[in-house]
Amino acid sequence: MIYLGVDPGAKGGLAAIDENSKVLFAVPMSRENLVNYIKKLHNDIIETNDGVIACVEKVGAMPGQGVTSMFSFGKSAGFIEGVLESFEIPYQLVPPQTWKKSFSLLHKDKKASIETCKQLFPGVNLLPTERCRKESDGISEAILMSLYAKRKLK
């Protein structure tokens, strides 16, 4: 079984782990990455007869967020769901409070997600690109969501 985690934010991430909790990929969220990695994952699943399940962070409007940015964010969330549906990948929308609670991350800053991810997955690369120096909380949260899927969404 393959477990997919999706943090749909503008600085979000996309990650997958296998049954042994080995990180298969962990990349920044973009439409291109989503389509390419899901396509590759889908082809690998067909070859190995593995299943896949996705945990997608359930997103909503934030206080003070403008109408245009809310609309754009909604379009992005719909795009993610559409890609998963088109590849027949089952997914569950999970509120951040739910998955973060399972890692004791409620009411903690983004650095806590990075540190928790590094403890659970030592040696994982959380840099969005080779040139970046700052680790991505979006990628770390996507990895944590994939682990949440493994633990809770079987």
Side-chain angles (χ1 to χ4, degrees), residues 15 19 34-35 42 49 55 65 74 87 101 132 137 148 152:
E19 198 64 51
L34 180 69
V35 171
H42 185 262
N49 290 324
C55 173
Q65 192 174 17
F87 284 99
K101 184 178 179 181
C132 286
D137 58 272
Y148 176 87
K152 306 284 186 180

Side-chain angles (χ1 to χ4, degrees), residues 9-139:
K11 294 183 179 180
L14 176 68
I17 63 172
D18 64 14
E19 198 64 51
N20 298 317
S21 297
K22 176 185 173 203
V23 176
L24 303 175
F25 59 82
V27 296
M29 173 53 72
S30 70
R31 287 178 175 227
E32 184 179 343
N33 278 348
L34 180 69
V35 171
N36 290 338
Y37 280 90
I38 295 295
K39 191 183 298 183
K40 182 183 181 329
L41 187 62
H42 185 262
N43 291 338
D44 292 346
I45 290 166
I46 290 172
E47 289 177 17
T48 62
N49 290 324
D50 281 339
V52 65
I53 189 163
C55 173
V56 179
E57 189 171 68
K58 183 177 183 180
V59 293
M62 306 263 294
Q65 192 174 17
V67 175
T68 303
S69 61
M70 283 191 305
F71 184 76
S72 177
F73 200 55
K75 275 178 51 178
S76 294
F79 181 80
I80 291 165
E81 290 184 52
V83 170
L84 294 172
E85 291 277 348
S86 69
F87 284 99
E88 299 179 347
I89 294 175
Y91 64 92
Q92 191 166 354
L93 298 174
V94 180
Q97 298 85 352
T98 302
W99 73 261
K100 285 183 177 190
K101 184 178 179 181
S102 71
F103 296 103
S104 301
L105 291 172
L106 273 182
H107 311 296
K108 294 191 177 174
D109 65 8
K110 299 289 188 175
K111 288 181 183 178
S113 296
I114 292 171
E115 291 307 314
T116 300
C117 184
K118 287 166 71 172
Q119 288 173 357
L120 294 168
F121 299 91
V124 70
N125 180 10
L126 299 176
L127 298 174
T129 68
E130 291 178 16
R131 296 179 66 183
C132 286
R133 297 288 174 240
K134 184 178 177 190
E135 293 175 313
S136 166
D137 58 272
I139 293 173

